[in-house]
Amino acid sequence: MPAYEHNGFNMHYEVHGQGEPVILIMGITAPGTYWEDHLAEWAQHFQCTAPDNRGVGLSDKPAGDYSSEMMADDYAHLMDHLGIEKAHIVGCSMGSIIAQQLSIRHPEKVKSQVLMCSWARCDSYAKSVFDHILRSKAHMRHEHLVEFLHLLIFNKRSWDDSEFHKGMLEGREDAAAEQNPQPLHGLEGQCAACVNHNTLEHLKNITAPTLLIGGEDDIFTPRWMADELHAGIPNSQLHLYPKSGHAFHWENLEDFNQRVTEFIKANS
């Protein structure tokens, strides 16, 4: 896995496919390998770069609070390192707030953006959820933390689907055997970025075509968050999948992959 260094920070990434450059930014706790089921489709059409965020995977995990601005700058520096002048950005959850900041701070680098299960600001409920994720990390075994996250992100229909639920159980088994779990201080830094993110007054300045996409029944980032972004971002469209949660992209994998492919091609 190649890496680049900027101001003492090392960021690891993988590149898949050829064509229009697409930068994939994963969510909290998750390394870039979590894009695997989407790369199977997108790498057939685009050059996809999937890094590990600051605080997780093989990238550096400095102590202290991170911010969505700081993490957006990580991606701007990565694009400079790779010689990518402009790219399509796909951000999942925490990755979507990083994508927002990239569009605000470095608009010349963003051709279009897909904001998955996103938010412009946290309310008291959301802040409490992130606080509880941190407490769970501090006191639970890794596989039990993953189970708690599954309770937050998957819709009831996924729990009731025997094959889907089997995959969830296998994910917990993989977590128990994880050789490089995210350290608590890495999660602390990422949670700070999520809780303190607030772009509400800057959404009007986002000029890139934007697809806001999520699940109608998401309890982690509820519908009001998507509606607020849609109202604030001028050139945006909104699609919410029925009977779907925060992990709507796995619950509607084939349609989601194709929908994003078509959006990127339409804005290339």
Side-chain angles (χ1 to χ4, degrees):
M1 192 177 194
Y4 93 102
E5 184 272 336
H6 181 83
N7 286 346
F9 170 66
N10 290 279
M11 189 176 203
H12 287 250
Y13 61 92
E14 291 184 351
V15 179
H16 304 262
Q18 296 180 335
E20 280 276 315
V22 178
I23 308 294
L24 306 177
I25 312 179
M26 190 32 80
I28 194 167
T29 78
T33 53
Y34 274 48
W35 289 110
E36 179 181 10
D37 291 340
H38 310 303
L39 283 167
E41 166 67 21
W42 298 339
Q44 297 181 49
H45 308 280
F46 315 115
Q47 181 195 74
C48 300
T49 302
D52 289 344
N53 285 316
R54 177 183 292 261
V56 77
L58 297 178
S59 292
D60 286 350
K61 307 165 188 69
D65 289 354
Y66 310 159
S67 69
S68 54
E69 294 95 333
M70 172 196 297
M71 298 176 83
D73 289 348
D74 289 341
Y75 280 86
H77 297 315
L78 174 64
M79 290 176 66
D80 290 341
H81 168 75
L82 295 173
I84 298 174
E85 292 185 4
K86 202 164 191 173
H88 305 274
I89 312 298
V90 182
C92 179
S93 193
M94 182 186 74
S96 74
I97 69 172
I98 297 169
Q100 289 175 42
Q101 294 285 12
L102 192 60
S103 291
I104 292 166
R105 296 168 67 82
H106 307 277
E108 74 285 353
K109 292 183 177 293
V110 180
K111 189 171 286 189
S112 73
Q113 60 177 355
V114 178
L115 304 181
M116 304 163 56
C117 41
S118 193
W119 65 96
R121 60 188 173 97
C122 282
D123 62 357
S124 296
Y125 176 85
K127 291 177 182 179
S128 187
V129 169
F130 284 113
D131 182 63
H132 197 68
I133 290 173
L134 265 182
R135 291 174 185 269
S136 300
K137 173 70 173 177
H139 298 287
M140 289 181 177
R141 285 160 45 181
H142 189 45
E143 63 270 28
H144 295 160
L145 172 64
V146 170
E147 182 178 13
F148 170 59
L149 293 175
H150 285 175
L151 289 165
L152 283 177
I153 68 175
F154 288 113
N155 184 260
K156 181 183 183 324
R157 72 177 171 95
S158 297
W159 289 85
D160 292 342
D161 183 303
S162 58
E163 281 302 308
F164 201 103
H165 185 244
K166 180 182 177 182
M168 293 161 62
L169 294 175
E170 291 171 351
R172 288 180 222 159
E173 291 176 3
D174 292 342
E178 174 62 54
Q179 297 298 306
N180 185 33
Q182 184 181 34
L184 180 60
H185 70 266
L187 182 56
E188 287 173 340
Q190 291 188 345
C191 280
C194 292
V195 168
N196 296 320
H197 173 78
N198 191 329
T199 52
L200 194 59
E201 299 303 317
H202 303 285
L203 297 177
K204 62 181 179 295
N205 299 323
I206 294 177
T207 57
T210 300
L211 172 61
L212 299 162
I213 191 163
E216 283 188 352
D217 300 327
D218 187 348
I219 61 172
F220 195 167
T221 52
R223 174 164 191 153
W224 71 264
M225 292 181 166
D227 288 338
E228 190 169 71
L229 285 165
H230 187 36
I233 300 175
N235 189 14
S236 65
Q237 55 185 277
L238 174 63
H239 180 81
L240 298 178
Y241 287 96
K243 296 182 179 179
S244 301
H246 195 71
F248 72 92
H249 48 106
W250 285 319
E251 294 176 322
N252 305 275
L253 181 65
E254 185 175 346
D255 184 88
F256 170 73
N257 285 348
Q258 186 59 37
R259 193 177 294 269
V260 172
T261 298
E262 292 172 358
F263 177 78
I264 293 173
K265 286 184 174 180
N267 289 287
S268 294

